[in-house]
């Protein structure tokens, strides 16, 4: 079968090729409803598929962006991706999602691959391990937005939570409920990943604000496979935590496993607060107190920022925007 062309659609609808082109590109300003209907029927009857490659070459845009996630296992990451995809869908922009597994080498490969595919821009949850590449993209003016993390020595637009405030809300709540031996546990801080560092710093500052001692054995950033050992160490000391703040959802899972294994009752033996909402937090027994971040709003904002950047007529000032956390109190405290 011969490929159906735009000229075939134009002849069928009795309009010019430029009018069909305007229809395909959603430019309806000077198009009557009758004309739109004729073109729509012609496209459906002929089963016309626009030549995306030709369109991209002509307009110098692929109407596709890339999203590179540091770790897609985080609930936050999937929620943000959903928001980005929704916003891009409204603008008829396609999204390619890649998972870097917190590996800078994998992230670099995806950045280079997506650029080779000529995506119009990138939203990156940066691992932080490719400063030279980030700066190269920044210097070239390539449309780029960071989510969840900032990278030192760059001025790239970054969209993330007020992480220190998130930890402060958790500590304030626990202190208000009478807890004094408060621990903080999160995933590895070896790569200086922004939310982990900032949430730990917020924890320390909040303890200081309440005149509570900062005990070295009561806070840690550990690889997932080492967390059980770290908690065993915490609970084998003379003074043990009466409350734990989990720095993210993956940490929460490890803490819940430990409590189950050691037959610790929540909140009688130890209270729990997790930063970031998880799907089971309301139905777990007991329901888990969380500090939430507006994941959907963060994703939507990041997508809008990038789409503005991909418009060659827009000059967007590079900024860092932080969203407000919210405490949701449940029975685990």
């Amino acid at each position: 079968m011969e490929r159906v062309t735009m000229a075939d659609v134009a002849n069928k609808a009795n309009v010019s090729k430029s009018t069909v082109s305007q229809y395909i590109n959603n430019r309806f300003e000077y198009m009557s409803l009758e004309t739109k209907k004729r073109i729509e029927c012609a496209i459906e009857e002929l089963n016309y598929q626009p030549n995306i490659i030709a369109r991209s070459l002509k307009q110098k845009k692929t109407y596709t962006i890339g999203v590179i996630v540091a770790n897609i296992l985080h609930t936050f990451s999937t929620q943000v991706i959903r928001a980005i995809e929704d916003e891009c869908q409204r603008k008829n922009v396609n999204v390619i999602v890649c998972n870097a597994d917190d590996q800078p080498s994998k992230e670099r490969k995806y950045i280079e691959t997506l650029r080779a595919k000529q995506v119009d821009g990138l939203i990156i949850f940066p691992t932080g391990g490719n400063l030279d590449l980030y700066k190269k993209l920044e210097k070239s003016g390539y449309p780029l937005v960071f989510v969840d993390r900032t990278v030192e020595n760059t001025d790239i637009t970054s969209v993330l939570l007020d992480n220190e405030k998130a930890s402060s809300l958790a500590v304030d709540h626990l202190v208000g409920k009478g807890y004094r031996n408060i621990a903080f546990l999160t995933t590895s801080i070896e790569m200086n990943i922004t939310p982990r560092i900032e949430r730990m710093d917020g924890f320390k500052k909040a303890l200081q604000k309440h005149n509570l001692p900062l005990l070295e054995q009561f806070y840690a950033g550990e690889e997932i496979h080492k967390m059980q050992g770290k908690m065993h160490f915490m609970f084998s000391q003379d003074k043990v935590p009466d409350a734990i703040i989990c720095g993210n959802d993956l940490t929460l899972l490890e803490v819940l496993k430990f409590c189950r294994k050691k037959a610790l009752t929540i909140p009688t033996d130890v209270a729990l607060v997790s930063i970031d909402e998880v799907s089971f937090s309301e139905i777990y027994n007991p329901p888990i107190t969380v500090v939430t971040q507006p994941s959907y709003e963060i994703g939507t904002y990041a997508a809008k920022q990038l789409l503005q950047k991909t418009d060659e007529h827009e000059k967007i000032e590079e900024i860092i925007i932080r969203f407000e956390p919210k405490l949701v109190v449940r029975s685990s405290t």
Side-chain angles (χ1 to χ4, degrees):
M1 294 179 61
E2 292 187 7
R3 181 183 178 88
V4 177
T5 67
M6 189 180 294
D8 295 328
V9 175
N11 290 333
K12 185 76 175 177
N14 196 26
V15 296
S16 67
K17 281 178 61 177
S18 63
T19 302
V20 176
S21 176
Q22 289 171 356
Y23 176 90
I24 291 170
N25 290 291
N26 298 315
R27 294 197 294 269
F28 307 126
E29 292 86 351
Y30 306 105
M31 192 178 300
S32 69
L33 289 176
E34 181 188 356
T35 299
K36 286 173 64 177
K37 186 64 177 177
R38 290 208 312 273
I39 296 172
E40 180 184 349
C41 291
I43 288 174
E44 184 175 352
E45 184 175 337
L46 296 173
N47 193 26
Y48 171 67
Q49 298 295 324
N51 188 328
I52 302 299
I53 295 175
R55 179 189 180 201
S56 299
L57 290 172
K58 183 177 181 180
Q59 300 187 9
K60 297 182 180 179
K61 291 182 74 173
T62 60
Y63 295 91
T64 302
I65 67 162
V67 179
I68 303 175
V69 188
N71 190 335
I72 206 166
L73 292 177
H74 288 290
T75 302
F76 169 76
S77 298
T78 56
Q79 292 170 343
V80 171
I81 291 168
R82 171 62 187 272
I84 292 170
E85 201 277 336
D86 284 352
E87 182 62 27
C88 288
Q89 185 67 28
R90 283 190 282 270
K91 304 295 185 180
N92 292 315
V93 173
N94 299 308
V95 179
I96 300 173
V97 179
C98 303
N99 174 41
D101 280 328
D102 284 320
Q103 299 174 25
S105 60
K106 199 171 180 182
E107 177 188 61
R108 177 179 288 270
K109 176 183 175 182
Y110 281 135
I111 290 173
E112 292 171 347
T113 299
L114 290 170
R115 288 217 64 192
K117 291 182 179 295
Q118 299 185 342
V119 297
D120 298 328
L122 292 172
I123 295 175
I124 303 178
F125 298 59
T127 64
N130 289 302
L131 180 60
D132 62 323
L133 188 52
Y134 307 147
K135 291 182 74 69
K136 181 180 177 182
L137 294 172
E138 179 185 11
K139 186 176 180 180
S140 70
Y142 185 74
L144 181 63
V145 172
F146 285 161
V147 171
D148 191 44
R149 305 170 180 185
T150 60
V151 177
E152 290 186 2
N153 301 315
T154 68
D155 293 314
I156 296 167
T157 293
S158 302
V159 187
L160 66 163
L161 183 70
D162 185 339
N163 289 295
E164 288 197 5
K165 185 172 182 179
S167 292
S168 182
L169 286 175
V171 172
D172 291 350
H173 170 66
L174 289 168
V175 171
K177 299 286 285 186
Y179 298 100
R180 293 296 180 269
N181 299 324
I182 304 171
F184 180 91
L185 188 63
T186 190
T187 38
S188 175
I189 59 174
E190 187 175 328
M191 293 289 292
N192 292 318
I193 292 171
T194 306
R196 302 175 194 177
I197 295 292
E198 291 183 347
R199 291 173 191 183
M200 186 174 288
D201 287 345
F203 166 74
K204 294 175 181 178
K205 291 176 182 177
L207 288 187
Q208 186 177 29
K209 179 180 71 175
H210 290 287
N211 296 314
L212 292 175
L214 179 62
L215 303 178
E216 188 174 344
Q217 68 268 28
F218 275 14
Y219 65 93
E222 290 283 1
E223 299 286 353
I224 288 291
H225 67 275
K226 295 181 180 179
M227 280 193 181
Q228 296 298 316
K230 185 62 183 181
M231 283 183 281
H232 179 78
F233 174 77
M234 282 185 180
F235 282 87
S236 62
Q237 305 300 304
D238 293 336
K239 180 180 284 190
V240 300
D242 57 10
I244 299 177
I245 298 172
C246 303
N248 56 40
D249 54 341
L250 300 184
T251 303
L252 173 62
L253 287 171
E254 293 302 312
V255 171
L256 292 176
K257 289 177 190 176
F258 179 82
C259 291
R260 179 69 60 89
K261 185 166 60 177
K262 298 296 182 181
L264 295 175
T265 302
I266 304 170
T268 306
D269 296 322
V270 62
L272 279 187
V273 178
S274 179
I275 300 177
D276 285 348
E277 182 71 276
V278 292
S279 59
F280 60 83
S281 58
E282 284 189 278
I283 60 174
Y284 191 84
N285 186 20
I288 299 165
T289 295
V290 296
V291 178
T292 66
Q293 57 177 320
S295 308
Y296 198 88
E297 289 85 349
I298 288 173
T300 300
Y301 187 90
K304 286 181 176 179
Q305 285 288 303
L306 186 71
L307 292 176
Q308 287 183 62
K309 287 173 178 286
T310 62
D311 186 335
E312 62 184 3
H313 303 297
E314 294 280 354
K315 295 295 182 184
I316 308 299
E317 182 181 357
E318 304 294 348
I319 56 172
I320 294 179
I321 180 73
R322 292 185 181 273
F323 283 74
E324 288 289 305
K326 178 182 177 183
L327 178 71
V328 180
V329 179
R330 300 189 181 114
S331 305
S332 67
T333 54

